mmCIF file of all heavy atoms in Angstrom:
data_model
loop_
_atom_site.group_PDB
_atom_site.id
_atom_site.type_symbol
_atom_site.label_atom_id
_atom_site.label_comp_id
_atom_site.label_asym_id
_atom_site.label_seq_id
_atom_site.Cartn_x
_atom_site.Cartn_y
_atom_site.Cartn_z
ATOM 1 N N MET A 1 187.737 67.444 86.280
ATOM 2 C CA MET A 1 187.034 66.495 87.145
ATOM 3 C C MET A 1 188.009 65.480 87.725
ATOM 4 O O MET A 1 187.938 65.138 88.908
ATOM 5 C CB MET A 1 185.932 65.788 86.344
ATOM 6 C CG MET A 1 184.728 66.666 86.038
ATOM 7 S SD MET A 1 183.468 65.827 85.057
ATOM 8 C CE MET A 1 182.948 64.562 86.215
ATOM 9 N N LYS A 2 188.921 65.007 86.887
ATOM 10 C CA LYS A 2 189.927 64.053 87.373
ATOM 11 C C LYS A 2 190.822 64.692 88.422
ATOM 12 O O LYS A 2 191.155 64.074 89.428
ATOM 13 C CB LYS A 2 190.766 63.539 86.202
ATOM 14 C CG LYS A 2 190.053 62.585 85.270
ATOM 15 C CD LYS A 2 190.969 62.148 84.147
ATOM 16 C CE LYS A 2 190.279 61.189 83.189
ATOM 17 N NZ LYS A 2 191.163 60.806 82.064
ATOM 18 N N LEU A 3 191.193 65.942 88.174
ATOM 19 C CA LEU A 3 192.047 66.646 89.128
ATOM 20 C C LEU A 3 191.318 66.850 90.448
ATOM 21 O O LEU A 3 191.895 66.640 91.526
ATOM 22 C CB LEU A 3 192.472 67.995 88.539
ATOM 23 C CG LEU A 3 193.421 68.837 89.395
ATOM 24 C CD1 LEU A 3 194.704 68.071 89.674
ATOM 25 C CD2 LEU A 3 193.730 70.155 88.692
ATOM 26 N N ALA A 4 190.034 67.239 90.366
ATOM 27 C CA ALA A 4 189.245 67.446 91.587
ATOM 28 C C ALA A 4 189.094 66.141 92.356
ATOM 29 O O ALA A 4 189.181 66.112 93.592
ATOM 30 C CB ALA A 4 187.863 68.001 91.216
ATOM 31 N N LEU A 5 188.897 65.042 91.616
ATOM 32 C CA LEU A 5 188.758 63.737 92.263
ATOM 33 C C LEU A 5 190.066 63.322 92.926
ATOM 34 O O LEU A 5 190.067 62.755 94.028
ATOM 35 C CB LEU A 5 188.329 62.694 91.225
ATOM 36 C CG LEU A 5 187.837 61.343 91.753
ATOM 37 C CD1 LEU A 5 186.652 61.522 92.689
ATOM 38 C CD2 LEU A 5 187.460 60.428 90.582
ATOM 39 N N THR A 6 191.171 63.623 92.271
ATOM 40 C CA THR A 6 192.490 63.306 92.847
ATOM 41 C C THR A 6 192.690 64.035 94.167
ATOM 42 O O THR A 6 193.119 63.441 95.173
ATOM 43 C CB THR A 6 193.610 63.708 91.867
ATOM 44 O OG1 THR A 6 193.446 62.997 90.646
ATOM 45 C CG2 THR A 6 194.985 63.391 92.448
ATOM 46 N N LEU A 7 192.370 65.331 94.177
ATOM 47 C CA LEU A 7 192.533 66.117 95.402
ATOM 48 C C LEU A 7 191.569 65.667 96.496
ATOM 49 O O LEU A 7 191.939 65.635 97.681
ATOM 50 C CB LEU A 7 192.303 67.605 95.082
ATOM 51 C CG LEU A 7 193.332 68.247 94.148
ATOM 52 C CD1 LEU A 7 192.922 69.674 93.808
ATOM 53 C CD2 LEU A 7 194.720 68.215 94.788
ATOM 54 N N THR A 8 190.360 65.264 96.074
ATOM 55 C CA THR A 8 189.381 64.778 97.059
ATOM 56 C C THR A 8 189.874 63.493 97.714
ATOM 57 O O THR A 8 189.814 63.340 98.946
ATOM 58 C CB THR A 8 188.019 64.518 96.381
ATOM 59 O OG1 THR A 8 187.532 65.746 95.828
ATOM 60 C CG2 THR A 8 187.006 63.976 97.386
ATOM 61 N N TYR A 9 190.359 62.560 96.903
ATOM 62 C CA TYR A 9 190.873 61.298 97.444
ATOM 63 C C TYR A 9 192.078 61.545 98.345
ATOM 64 O O TYR A 9 192.245 60.886 99.386
ATOM 65 C CB TYR A 9 191.262 60.355 96.317
ATOM 66 C CG TYR A 9 190.095 59.657 95.659
ATOM 67 C CD1 TYR A 9 190.286 58.839 94.547
ATOM 68 C CD2 TYR A 9 188.796 59.798 96.140
ATOM 69 C CE1 TYR A 9 189.211 58.189 93.942
ATOM 70 C CE2 TYR A 9 187.734 59.160 95.550
ATOM 71 C CZ TYR A 9 187.943 58.357 94.447
ATOM 72 O OH TYR A 9 186.882 57.718 93.854
ATOM 73 N N ALA A 10 192.924 62.489 97.963
ATOM 74 C CA ALA A 10 194.091 62.809 98.785
ATOM 75 C C ALA A 10 193.652 63.367 100.136
ATOM 76 O O ALA A 10 194.218 63.005 101.184
ATOM 77 C CB ALA A 10 194.974 63.811 98.054
ATOM 78 N N ALA A 11 192.632 64.225 100.124
ATOM 79 C CA ALA A 11 192.130 64.795 101.373
ATOM 80 C C ALA A 11 191.513 63.721 102.265
ATOM 81 O O ALA A 11 191.717 63.717 103.493
ATOM 82 C CB ALA A 11 191.091 65.884 101.058
ATOM 83 N N ILE A 12 190.773 62.794 101.640
ATOM 84 C CA ILE A 12 190.175 61.696 102.414
ATOM 85 C C ILE A 12 191.261 60.817 103.011
ATOM 86 O O ILE A 12 191.156 60.355 104.158
ATOM 87 C CB ILE A 12 189.243 60.861 101.508
ATOM 88 C CG1 ILE A 12 188.029 61.703 101.085
ATOM 89 C CG2 ILE A 12 188.777 59.599 102.229
ATOM 90 C CD1 ILE A 12 187.139 61.025 100.062
ATOM 91 N N ALA A 13 192.335 60.601 102.227
ATOM 92 C CA ALA A 13 193.459 59.794 102.721
ATOM 93 C C ALA A 13 194.081 60.442 103.961
ATOM 94 O O ALA A 13 194.401 59.755 104.949
ATOM 95 C CB ALA A 13 194.506 59.633 101.618
ATOM 96 N N VAL A 14 194.240 61.770 103.919
ATOM 97 C CA VAL A 14 194.803 62.496 105.065
ATOM 98 C C VAL A 14 193.887 62.354 106.279
ATOM 99 O O VAL A 14 194.345 62.128 107.410
ATOM 100 C CB VAL A 14 195.002 63.987 104.710
ATOM 101 C CG1 VAL A 14 195.361 64.790 105.970
ATOM 102 C CG2 VAL A 14 196.087 64.139 103.657
ATOM 103 N N TYR A 15 192.593 62.449 106.039
ATOM 104 C CA TYR A 15 191.626 62.324 107.141
ATOM 105 C C TYR A 15 191.737 60.957 107.811
ATOM 106 O O TYR A 15 191.822 60.851 109.044
ATOM 107 C CB TYR A 15 190.206 62.530 106.602
ATOM 108 C CG TYR A 15 189.134 62.156 107.597
ATOM 109 C CD1 TYR A 15 188.806 63.004 108.658
ATOM 110 C CD2 TYR A 15 188.471 60.923 107.489
ATOM 111 C CE1 TYR A 15 187.832 62.651 109.583
ATOM 112 C CE2 TYR A 15 187.499 60.569 108.407
ATOM 113 C CZ TYR A 15 187.187 61.422 109.456
ATOM 114 O OH TYR A 15 186.230 61.061 110.370
ATOM 115 N N PHE A 16 191.734 59.901 106.995
ATOM 116 C CA PHE A 16 191.818 58.552 107.558
ATOM 117 C C PHE A 16 193.155 58.322 108.257
ATOM 118 O O PHE A 16 193.221 57.626 109.283
ATOM 119 C CB PHE A 16 191.611 57.507 106.462
ATOM 120 C CG PHE A 16 190.164 57.278 106.113
ATOM 121 C CD1 PHE A 16 189.721 57.408 104.801
ATOM 122 C CD2 PHE A 16 189.234 56.925 107.087
ATOM 123 C CE1 PHE A 16 188.382 57.191 104.480
ATOM 124 C CE2 PHE A 16 187.904 56.718 106.780
ATOM 125 C CZ PHE A 16 187.471 56.855 105.463
ATOM 126 N N TYR A 17 194.219 58.939 107.728
ATOM 127 C CA TYR A 17 195.537 58.758 108.345
ATOM 128 C C TYR A 17 195.547 59.335 109.757
ATOM 129 O O TYR A 17 196.033 58.699 110.706
ATOM 130 C CB TYR A 17 196.610 59.429 107.487
ATOM 131 C CG TYR A 17 197.988 59.332 108.065
ATOM 132 C CD1 TYR A 17 198.737 58.165 107.918
ATOM 133 C CD2 TYR A 17 198.540 60.397 108.791
ATOM 134 C CE1 TYR A 17 200.012 58.071 108.475
ATOM 135 C CE2 TYR A 17 199.799 60.305 109.339
ATOM 136 C CZ TYR A 17 200.533 59.131 109.179
ATOM 137 O OH TYR A 17 201.790 59.035 109.733
ATOM 138 N N PHE A 18 195.006 60.514 109.905
ATOM 139 C CA PHE A 18 195.048 61.172 111.207
ATOM 140 C C PHE A 18 193.966 60.663 112.166
ATOM 141 O O PHE A 18 194.013 60.968 113.360
ATOM 142 C CB PHE A 18 194.931 62.691 111.043
ATOM 143 C CG PHE A 18 196.193 63.330 110.564
ATOM 144 C CD1 PHE A 18 196.299 63.801 109.267
ATOM 145 C CD2 PHE A 18 197.305 63.441 111.397
ATOM 146 C CE1 PHE A 18 197.478 64.381 108.817
ATOM 147 C CE2 PHE A 18 198.485 64.018 110.966
ATOM 148 C CZ PHE A 18 198.576 64.492 109.663
ATOM 149 N N THR A 19 193.017 59.887 111.644
ATOM 150 C CA THR A 19 192.023 59.274 112.540
ATOM 151 C C THR A 19 192.409 57.838 112.869
ATOM 152 O O THR A 19 191.629 57.099 113.476
ATOM 153 C CB THR A 19 190.622 59.297 111.903
ATOM 154 O OG1 THR A 19 190.650 58.663 110.623
ATOM 155 C CG2 THR A 19 190.116 60.722 111.789
ATOM 156 N N GLY A 20 193.612 57.456 112.457
ATOM 157 C CA GLY A 20 194.149 56.160 112.834
ATOM 158 C C GLY A 20 193.781 55.001 111.930
ATOM 159 O O GLY A 20 194.049 53.845 112.271
ATOM 160 N N ASN A 21 193.193 55.255 110.781
ATOM 161 C CA ASN A 21 192.825 54.174 109.867
ATOM 162 C C ASN A 21 193.794 54.180 108.686
ATOM 163 O O ASN A 21 193.491 54.653 107.592
ATOM 164 C CB ASN A 21 191.381 54.354 109.389
ATOM 165 C CG ASN A 21 190.834 53.067 108.788
ATOM 166 O OD1 ASN A 21 191.582 52.286 108.200
ATOM 167 N ND2 ASN A 21 189.529 52.865 108.918
ATOM 168 N N GLN A 22 195.002 53.634 108.946
ATOM 169 C CA GLN A 22 196.048 53.667 107.919
ATOM 170 C C GLN A 22 195.695 52.826 106.676
ATOM 171 O O GLN A 22 196.116 53.134 105.568
ATOM 172 C CB GLN A 22 197.381 53.169 108.505
ATOM 173 C CG GLN A 22 198.160 54.232 109.273
ATOM 174 C CD GLN A 22 197.537 54.521 110.632
ATOM 175 O OE1 GLN A 22 196.860 53.662 111.200
ATOM 176 N NE2 GLN A 22 197.741 55.716 111.153
ATOM 177 N N GLY A 23 194.895 51.774 106.880
ATOM 178 C CA GLY A 23 194.519 50.919 105.752
ATOM 179 C C GLY A 23 193.711 51.685 104.711
ATOM 180 O O GLY A 23 194.017 51.646 103.511
ATOM 181 N N LEU A 24 192.662 52.381 105.170
ATOM 182 C CA LEU A 24 191.852 53.172 104.247
ATOM 183 C C LEU A 24 192.639 54.361 103.694
ATOM 184 O O LEU A 24 192.453 54.754 102.536
ATOM 185 C CB LEU A 24 190.587 53.668 104.955
ATOM 186 C CG LEU A 24 189.470 52.628 105.126
ATOM 187 C CD1 LEU A 24 188.319 53.210 105.943
ATOM 188 C CD2 LEU A 24 188.963 52.176 103.751
ATOM 189 N N ALA A 25 193.515 54.918 104.520
ATOM 190 C CA ALA A 25 194.349 56.032 104.058
ATOM 191 C C ALA A 25 195.206 55.587 102.873
ATOM 192 O O ALA A 25 195.293 56.278 101.851
ATOM 193 C CB ALA A 25 195.231 56.541 105.187
ATOM 194 N N ALA A 26 195.815 54.407 103.009
ATOM 195 C CA ALA A 26 196.655 53.881 101.925
ATOM 196 C C ALA A 26 195.832 53.622 100.668
ATOM 197 O O ALA A 26 196.284 53.871 99.545
ATOM 198 C CB ALA A 26 197.338 52.591 102.385
ATOM 199 N N LEU A 27 194.607 53.132 100.862
ATOM 200 C CA LEU A 27 193.735 52.846 99.728
ATOM 201 C C LEU A 27 193.414 54.117 98.940
ATOM 202 O O LEU A 27 193.494 54.138 97.700
ATOM 203 C CB LEU A 27 192.437 52.203 100.228
ATOM 204 C CG LEU A 27 191.417 51.799 99.146
ATOM 205 C CD1 LEU A 27 192.002 50.728 98.235
ATOM 206 C CD2 LEU A 27 190.137 51.293 99.800
ATOM 207 N N PHE A 28 193.088 55.187 99.645
ATOM 208 C CA PHE A 28 192.748 56.444 98.957
ATOM 209 C C PHE A 28 193.982 57.117 98.362
ATOM 210 O O PHE A 28 193.889 57.800 97.337
ATOM 211 C CB PHE A 28 192.016 57.385 99.922
ATOM 212 C CG PHE A 28 190.554 57.101 100.031
ATOM 213 C CD1 PHE A 28 190.052 56.322 101.073
ATOM 214 C CD2 PHE A 28 189.665 57.568 99.068
ATOM 215 C CE1 PHE A 28 188.692 56.038 101.167
ATOM 216 C CE2 PHE A 28 188.304 57.294 99.163
ATOM 217 C CZ PHE A 28 187.804 56.517 100.205
ATOM 218 N N VAL A 29 195.135 56.915 98.993
ATOM 219 C CA VAL A 29 196.375 57.434 98.406
ATOM 220 C C VAL A 29 196.640 56.757 97.068
ATOM 221 O O VAL A 29 196.991 57.406 96.072
ATOM 222 C CB VAL A 29 197.569 57.213 99.358
ATOM 223 C CG1 VAL A 29 198.893 57.417 98.614
ATOM 224 C CG2 VAL A 29 197.489 58.177 100.531
ATOM 225 N N MET A 30 196.461 55.428 97.022
ATOM 226 C CA MET A 30 196.665 54.684 95.780
ATOM 227 C C MET A 30 195.684 55.143 94.701
ATOM 228 O O MET A 30 196.051 55.290 93.529
ATOM 229 C CB MET A 30 196.503 53.189 96.038
ATOM 230 C CG MET A 30 197.600 52.572 96.898
ATOM 231 S SD MET A 30 199.240 52.715 96.125
ATOM 232 C CE MET A 30 199.009 51.654 94.692
ATOM 233 N N ALA A 31 194.428 55.385 95.106
ATOM 234 C CA ALA A 31 193.418 55.848 94.147
ATOM 235 C C ALA A 31 193.795 57.218 93.586
ATOM 236 O O ALA A 31 193.678 57.471 92.384
ATOM 237 C CB ALA A 31 192.047 55.909 94.816
ATOM 238 N N ALA A 32 194.273 58.113 94.475
ATOM 239 C CA ALA A 32 194.673 59.447 94.033
ATOM 240 C C ALA A 32 195.860 59.378 93.081
ATOM 241 O O ALA A 32 195.902 60.077 92.058
ATOM 242 C CB ALA A 32 195.029 60.314 95.249
ATOM 243 N N LEU A 33 196.819 58.510 93.400
ATOM 244 C CA LEU A 33 197.993 58.354 92.535
ATOM 245 C C LEU A 33 197.601 57.783 91.169
ATOM 246 O O LEU A 33 198.140 58.191 90.133
ATOM 247 C CB LEU A 33 199.027 57.447 93.209
ATOM 248 C CG LEU A 33 199.751 58.047 94.413
ATOM 249 C CD1 LEU A 33 200.631 56.992 95.074
ATOM 250 C CD2 LEU A 33 200.585 59.253 94.000
ATOM 251 N N PHE A 34 196.672 56.835 91.173
ATOM 252 C CA PHE A 34 196.230 56.216 89.925
ATOM 253 C C PHE A 34 195.578 57.253 89.004
ATOM 254 O O PHE A 34 195.877 57.319 87.809
ATOM 255 C CB PHE A 34 195.240 55.094 90.216
ATOM 256 C CG PHE A 34 194.708 54.419 88.989
ATOM 257 C CD1 PHE A 34 195.451 53.451 88.325
ATOM 258 C CD2 PHE A 34 193.462 54.770 88.480
ATOM 259 C CE1 PHE A 34 194.969 52.836 87.183
ATOM 260 C CE2 PHE A 34 192.960 54.162 87.339
ATOM 261 C CZ PHE A 34 193.721 53.187 86.687
ATOM 262 N N ILE A 35 194.703 58.087 89.569
ATOM 263 C CA ILE A 35 194.021 59.103 88.766
ATOM 264 C C ILE A 35 195.027 60.168 88.305
ATOM 265 O O ILE A 35 194.987 60.636 87.165
ATOM 266 C CB ILE A 35 192.872 59.753 89.558
ATOM 267 C CG1 ILE A 35 191.823 58.707 89.905
ATOM 268 C CG2 ILE A 35 192.232 60.878 88.747
ATOM 269 C CD1 ILE A 35 190.743 59.208 90.843
ATOM 270 N N GLY A 36 195.948 60.533 89.197
ATOM 271 C CA GLY A 36 196.972 61.498 88.822
ATOM 272 C C GLY A 36 197.825 60.993 87.680
ATOM 273 O O GLY A 36 198.165 61.739 86.749
ATOM 274 N N PHE A 37 198.158 59.708 87.727
ATOM 275 C CA PHE A 37 198.944 59.095 86.656
ATOM 276 C C PHE A 37 198.172 59.143 85.337
ATOM 277 O O PHE A 37 198.740 59.425 84.279
ATOM 278 C CB PHE A 37 199.265 57.640 87.018
ATOM 279 C CG PHE A 37 200.094 56.927 85.990
ATOM 280 C CD1 PHE A 37 201.466 57.118 85.922
ATOM 281 C CD2 PHE A 37 199.506 56.057 85.086
ATOM 282 C CE1 PHE A 37 202.235 56.460 84.970
ATOM 283 C CE2 PHE A 37 200.259 55.386 84.142
ATOM 284 C CZ PHE A 37 201.633 55.591 84.087
ATOM 285 N N ALA A 38 196.868 58.897 85.414
ATOM 286 C CA ALA A 38 196.028 58.926 84.206
ATOM 287 C C ALA A 38 195.990 60.330 83.604
ATOM 288 O O ALA A 38 196.011 60.483 82.379
ATOM 289 C CB ALA A 38 194.615 58.458 84.536
ATOM 290 N N ILE A 39 195.942 61.354 84.467
ATOM 291 C CA ILE A 39 195.933 62.732 83.977
ATOM 292 C C ILE A 39 197.198 63.021 83.182
ATOM 293 O O ILE A 39 197.163 63.617 82.099
ATOM 294 C CB ILE A 39 195.806 63.727 85.152
ATOM 295 C CG1 ILE A 39 194.424 63.613 85.803
ATOM 296 C CG2 ILE A 39 196.037 65.158 84.677
ATOM 297 C CD1 ILE A 39 194.282 64.432 87.070
ATOM 298 N N VAL A 40 198.324 62.580 83.715
ATOM 299 C CA VAL A 40 199.613 62.842 83.074
ATOM 300 C C VAL A 40 199.752 62.048 81.776
ATOM 301 O O VAL A 40 200.184 62.578 80.747
ATOM 302 C CB VAL A 40 200.771 62.504 84.033
ATOM 303 C CG1 VAL A 40 202.113 62.564 83.315
ATOM 304 C CG2 VAL A 40 200.764 63.459 85.221
ATOM 305 N N ARG A 41 199.379 60.760 81.797
ATOM 306 C CA ARG A 41 199.632 59.873 80.659
ATOM 307 C C ARG A 41 198.547 59.898 79.585
ATOM 308 O O ARG A 41 198.787 59.502 78.453
ATOM 309 C CB ARG A 41 199.801 58.436 81.167
ATOM 310 C CG ARG A 41 200.980 58.242 82.089
ATOM 311 C CD ARG A 41 202.295 58.405 81.370
ATOM 312 N NE ARG A 41 202.661 57.203 80.649
ATOM 313 C CZ ARG A 41 203.694 57.102 79.816
ATOM 314 N NH1 ARG A 41 204.423 58.170 79.551
ATOM 315 N NH2 ARG A 41 203.978 55.957 79.217
ATOM 316 N N GLN A 42 197.348 60.391 79.945
ATOM 317 C CA GLN A 42 196.251 60.396 78.987
ATOM 318 C C GLN A 42 195.800 61.791 78.582
ATOM 319 O O GLN A 42 195.235 61.959 77.502
ATOM 320 C CB GLN A 42 195.058 59.625 79.558
ATOM 321 C CG GLN A 42 195.349 58.170 79.843
ATOM 322 C CD GLN A 42 194.181 57.471 80.532
ATOM 323 O OE1 GLN A 42 193.101 58.053 80.683
ATOM 324 N NE2 GLN A 42 194.386 56.240 80.952
ATOM 325 N N GLY A 43 196.045 62.794 79.426
ATOM 326 C CA GLY A 43 195.628 64.142 79.113
ATOM 327 C C GLY A 43 194.131 64.213 78.821
ATOM 328 O O GLY A 43 193.326 63.516 79.427
#
């Protein structure tokens, strides 16, 4: 579930980036990185 959420947030970040909303893109990138970090450090 965490992995799926990470990929979903990454996809949303890409969408916002290419639609010109860099602020929201950065926000979802940070969220994806945070969850990815949790997967690695918490298993």
Side-chain angles (χ1 to χ4, degrees):
M1 287 178 65
K2 288 180 180 178
L3 182 59
L5 193 58
T6 300
L7 294 175
T8 299
Y9 282 175
I12 293 173
V14 170
Y15 169 77
F16 280 125
Y17 178 80
F18 284 107
T19 55
N21 197 328
Q22 278 74 26
L24 282 175
L27 182 63
F28 277 97
V29 165
M30 292 298 294
L33 289 174
F34 179 80
I35 297 172
F37 181 79
I39 292 173
V40 171
R41 297 292 279 173
Q42 298 175 7

